[in-house]
Amino acid sequence: MKRDKLIAEARERYAYARDMWSPIFSLMREDLRFSDPTDLQQWPDEVRRERVNSKGGPRPVLTFDQTGQFIRQVVNQARRNRPAMKFIPVDTQSDPELAEVLQGLARQTEYESRADVAYITALDHSTRGGFGAFRAVTEAVKGSPVKGQLCVKIKRVTDPETILIDPDFTEPDGSDARWGFVVETLSIEAFKRAWPKAEVSDFDDDGWFSDKHVRIAEYFRIVETDHNVITAQGQDYGEDEYWDAVATGAAPREPESTRTDTKLTVEWYKISGREILEQTTFPGEYVPLFPVLGNEEWDQGKRKLSGAIRAARDPQIAYNYERNSAIEAVAMGPKAPWIAPVEAIEGHENEWAGANSGNTVVLPYNSVSESGEQISPPSRIAPAGMSPGWMGLEERSKSDIQAALGQYNASIGNNPNSQSGRAVLALQDKAEVGTYHYIDNLALTISHLGRVLTQVWPVIYDQAQIVRILGEDDEADFVQIDPHAPRGYAQMPGPDGKPLTVINPSAGRYDVRVTTGPAYMTRQAEAAAEIGELVNGNPQMMAILGDIWVKMRNIPNADKIAKRFEAMLPPQVKAAEDAEDGEKQLDPQQVAQVLPAGADRDSGPAKSAARGRVRHGKGQARRAGQDRHRGIAPRGGRRSRAHRCRLTARRGRTQGHDLAAVAENAASARAS
């Protein structure tokens, strides 16, 4: 597409998106300002001006925010129960072992990107204002041995109004958006430094920006291209690939069938008002902008969004007004006067005149008259005090705020009625259910991100190389990526004879779902507590479960202590573990499929992969293959939590004890 035509298309789409999103952003802006913990703006502007400029003197305009504590409850619940991607094989070419490795690669991508910050920022905006977002970009890897190597980074969006995604998307994760913009404001100096030959022109012509700044935009658009697919001998070829295969005799001249497929390409442009400053393509078939929605409704074909704050604004304003009126009534009320006989304060008038304005320690009075009669001492009259009606209104407004937010006192730890622990937990669970759709919408969007990653990885990892992955327990491991490997997941022997994992991320298709729950360390501590209770009731089980229990405790010298427990295991338990943890021999045919023809396993990619097979810390390298999938580690290494739980149950069966309850309680490890 020519430059002028593309810029005209971008401007037309931008104007349409701005018109459609403007009403949503206007209300969202008010909600965000209303709940901004750094500058709460909960008084209407006209009311604030009227009270500050009151003829009788300024009246109080204090803010007593009741909404922030409940918003933090939702956001911090997501911080504690972090979402985690789980890759699921879809077709016959996909492999459960590769799915597990892709989960480790996704964790590494999130770790390098500090994706938690992007997720929480988007959730905070959607919970308060109804709309948040994060994005994915590709960046060059600094210091990579592979020239031009790219990596995926997940970036947070600090201002949701800078994201103008196709307003016609209907999926809650934005996966059906066809185009989108990311708007950026630069100083004139920064613009000229980045593009010295470009003309300074503002992409947004609404005249809002000054002569010191310029607005540019990143423009994503999906382009469809039709191409022929030829099927011969059960294999699909592109047109050029097919004729090359025919020329070499790898495919017959007469194909089985032909069809037309549509290829989607994501084009990316950085444009100013008159020029295309940069352009490239983004790997994959989706616009890499990820909206996180709050409450969504449609009215006559138009989307409406809101967060939790929208419904709570009116009762919060009423609460502020009632509190300020009560304070004002008390402050302006008369102070408690004194009643005294004239003879009692005669000669001490000055001290008594300042009794209500200072901190007088002693107030003298005359107790006997000149005639010798007793004089009654001065006494104070109590003021009218605050009306009980104000207090009733304040409590009612607080209840209205909680009802609007769907959360109550018990959800933030308050228990004013001294209810039982079970009743409080029930109320907390009710509050979490009432606001769980915010976290669930975030999980839906992260699932879409996972599908985008499965499309990006095969494109950016187009050369053999070593990459790091992270386990569920945040322990690092290394795998070799070979984009030409015929299988998605395979093993090859390294120079030390240990299996080495080789993956091809382009093999097979994978779907993604997101699970939320306590972090790995929390679940491990819970499992350790369960085993501890079991050992307390049956002390002889310590000889069987001691090494597993110590490793779960994460105490100093845990590995050394665990080894001593392991050395004292009963013979029958050792025999059972040796049978399961025995080294597996690699299939020579599998090795031949992984290594290129004529390749020496001690040279080339195999040797470099072996050098990359290094564990961080003192732990030994993890076993791969079936052992990796089942959570089994070599003797002396660190076992996964799922395997430790299964090992606990197996040892109990070996000794004739029923540990099914422990295994059942820990079964969530496998699902996680």
Side-chain angles (χ1 to χ4, degrees):
M1 181 179 289
K2 293 183 179 180
R3 184 198 68 174
D4 294 342
K5 187 175 181 181
L6 185 131
I7 293 178
E9 176 194 88
R11 280 184 169 275
E12 181 180 354
R13 286 180 168 179
Y14 178 81
Y16 172 64
R18 188 177 60 184
D19 291 343
M20 296 299 291
W21 283 104
S22 180
I24 296 175
F25 286 164
S26 178
L27 294 173
M28 179 188 71
R29 195 180 310 120
E30 294 179 4
D31 292 338
L32 294 179
R33 289 174 177 172
F34 190 91
S35 58
D36 180 4
T38 65
D39 183 21
L40 292 167
Q41 300 181 30
Q42 296 185 354
W43 284 90
D45 293 339
E46 61 277 7
V47 175
R48 176 182 287 274
R49 285 194 298 268
E50 180 183 346
R51 294 178 71 90
V52 171
N53 300 320
S54 177
K55 293 182 179 180
R59 300 176 64 186
V61 283
L62 306 177
T63 300
F64 301 91
D65 182 46
Q66 299 292 307
T67 63
Q69 56 187 336
F70 298 103
I71 297 299
R72 288 190 294 271
Q73 192 73 14
V74 176
V75 175
N76 290 335
Q77 180 185 352
R79 291 180 186 270
R80 186 177 63 180
N81 300 326
R82 296 182 178 180
M85 300 182 203
K86 183 176 180 61
F87 292 78
I88 304 170
V90 173
D91 56 16
T92 57
Q93 296 180 348
S94 54
D95 191 325
E97 302 283 2
L98 178 56
E100 187 172 344
V101 176
L102 293 180
Q103 288 174 204
L105 191 57
R107 293 189 196 100
Q108 174 64 21
T109 299
E110 292 177 320
Y111 172 77
E112 289 181 341
S113 308
R114 300 177 65 190
D116 286 349
V117 177
Y119 299 158
I120 293 301
T121 302
L123 177 63
D124 179 73
H125 289 152
S126 66
T127 305
R128 291 164 53 207
F131 178 82
F134 58 89
R135 56 181 306 203
V137 301
T138 55
E139 295 180 354
V141 179
K142 297 180 180 179
S144 173
V146 179
K147 186 177 181 180
Q149 180 60 49
L150 299 176
C151 67
V152 187
K153 289 293 183 68
I154 303 164
K155 299 288 187 178
R156 76 167 178 161
V157 175
T158 56
D159 183 359
E161 294 189 48
T162 61
I163 301 296
L164 288 171
I165 194 170
D166 178 6
D168 296 328
F169 79 86
T170 57
E171 295 295 331
D173 54 8
S175 56
D176 57 338
R178 307 295 296 175
W179 47 269
F181 294 89
V182 180
V183 183
E184 181 181 3
T185 304
L186 296 176
S187 66
I188 300 295
E189 180 183 357
F191 180 90
K192 291 181 176 179
R193 186 168 55 250
W195 301 282
K197 297 182 179 180
E199 179 184 356
V200 178
S201 59
D202 201 319
F203 179 75
D204 190 339
D205 56 1
D206 61 1
W208 188 85
F209 289 92
S210 66
D211 57 356
K212 296 182 180 180
H213 295 85
V214 62
R215 171 172 279 192
I216 62 176
E218 296 178 54
Y219 174 40
F220 296 91
R221 62 193 293 264
I222 295 179
V223 179
E224 297 182 357
T225 306
D226 293 336
H227 66 284
N228 294 327
V229 178
I230 301 173
T231 302
Q233 295 179 336
Q235 184 174 352
D236 291 340
Y237 296 91
E239 196 165 353
D240 293 338
E241 293 176 334
Y242 172 72
W243 291 114
D244 290 342
V246 170
T248 59
R253 182 168 293 274
E254 295 296 330
E256 298 173 7
S257 63
T258 61
R259 69 178 188 274
T260 300
D261 275 359
T262 300
K263 180 180 179 181
L264 302 181
T265 304
V266 181
E267 296 179 349
W268 172 86
Y269 301 90
K270 181 167 284 190
I271 55 181
S272 64
R274 294 186 177 89
E275 296 183 66
I276 298 176
L277 305 173
E278 300 175 20
Q279 67 182 81
T280 185
T281 59
F282 182 85
E285 300 179 350
Y286 298 99
V287 174
L289 303 177
F290 303 92
V292 180
L293 307 183
N295 303 310
E296 182 186 32
E297 293 291 338
W298 290 80
D299 183 11
Q300 298 181 351
K302 293 185 178 181
R303 176 186 284 108
K304 297 192 298 183
L305 298 175
S306 71
I309 293 297
R310 187 79 50 84
R313 284 172 58 179
D314 287 346
Q316 176 63 56
I317 291 174
Y319 181 76
N320 288 334
Y321 183 81
E322 290 153 6
R323 286 294 305 271
N324 279 264
S325 297
I327 292 173
E328 192 174 16
V330 172
M332 297 181 65
K335 295 185 178 180
W338 291 91
I339 296 180
V342 176
E343 298 87 353
I345 61 173
E346 186 178 358
H348 306 289
E349 290 86 356
N350 292 334
E351 290 90 336
W352 284 94
N356 280 345
S357 59
N359 294 322
T360 305
V361 178
V362 176
L363 288 173
Y365 75 97
N366 302 319
S367 60
V368 181
S369 65
E370 294 180 356
S371 60
E373 297 178 358
Q374 293 288 329
I375 301 176
S376 300
S379 60
R380 197 165 212 169
I381 299 177
M386 192 173 83
S387 171
W390 285 118
M391 300 180 63
L393 288 175
E394 292 172 11
E395 291 302 319
R396 183 175 299 178
S397 294
K398 289 175 68 174
S399 298
D400 292 340
I401 293 171
Q402 294 174 17
L405 294 172
Q407 296 201 21
Y408 302 89
N409 280 325
S411 64
I412 55 175
N414 293 337
N415 187 12
N417 297 324
S418 300
Q419 295 171 301
S420 67
R422 181 171 296 181
V424 171
L425 290 176
L427 290 174
Q428 290 176 345
D429 182 67
K430 179 180 178 181
E432 290 180 2
V433 171
T435 57
Y436 188 72
H437 59 288
Y438 297 110
I439 297 177
D440 191 52
N441 287 346
L442 173 64
L444 286 173
T445 304
I446 295 177
S447 297
H448 174 44
L449 169 65
R451 288 187 288 273
V452 171
L453 292 178
T454 62
Q455 296 181 350
V456 173
W457 287 329
V459 178
I460 64 175
Y461 294 125
D462 57 349
Q463 300 182 53
Q465 57 188 287
I466 299 296
V467 297
R468 186 174 74 168
I469 63 175
L470 288 182
E472 186 183 13
D473 54 359
D474 291 336
E475 288 196 5
D477 202 354
F478 292 86
V479 298
Q480 177 175 335
I481 292 182
D482 183 359
H484 305 295
R487 300 176 56 180
Y489 180 94
Q491 296 290 307
M492 60 182 294
D496 56 358
K498 292 184 178 180
L500 179 66
T501 302
V502 180
I503 66 169
N504 181 356
S506 64
R509 295 188 302 114
Y510 297 85
D511 201 355
V512 182
R513 68 179 179 91
V514 170
T515 59
T516 57
Y520 173 84
M521 297 301 295
T522 302
R523 299 198 308 273
Q524 180 171 271
E526 292 172 353
E530 291 175 4
I531 295 177
E533 292 178 3
L534 175 68
V535 171
N536 287 337
N538 199 351
Q540 63 267 30
M541 297 299 297
M542 180 59 77
I544 304 172
L545 306 176
D547 57 326
I548 300 175
W549 180 74
V550 169
K551 288 179 180 178
M552 288 181 172
R553 298 287 294 175
N554 290 322
I555 59 178
N557 296 318
D559 290 340
K560 185 180 294 185
I561 299 172
K563 286 180 180 179
R564 296 186 180 185
F565 272 108
E566 197 170 339
M568 297 185 294
L569 287 175
Q572 58 269 44
V573 175
K574 288 185 177 181
E577 290 192 12
D578 289 341
E580 184 172 346
D581 294 349
E583 294 290 344
K584 298 182 181 292
Q585 298 296 324
L586 293 176
D587 184 357
Q589 294 182 356
Q590 179 177 315
V591 176
Q593 287 181 341
V594 176
L595 290 176
D600 184 357
R601 78 177 189 183
D602 294 333
S603 61
K607 189 172 182 178
S608 63
R611 288 198 301 266
R613 183 74 171 177
V614 180
R615 264 281 193 200
H616 280 205
K618 298 181 180 180
Q620 297 181 3
R622 273 195 195 185
R623 175 171 298 129
Q626 295 296 324
D627 286 352
R628 176 191 297 277
H629 182 59
R630 290 155 52 195
I632 299 173
R635 297 186 66 82
R638 182 184 179 91
R639 294 181 171 89
S640 72
R641 176 174 179 262
H643 173 254
R644 289 197 293 269
C645 295
R646 290 194 299 272
L647 187 58
T648 302
R650 189 179 71 235
R651 290 184 183 179
R653 291 193 300 270
T654 303
Q655 294 297 308
H657 299 284
D658 183 11
L659 304 183
V662 175
E664 183 178 355
N665 290 336
S668 60
R670 197 58 188 150
S672 301

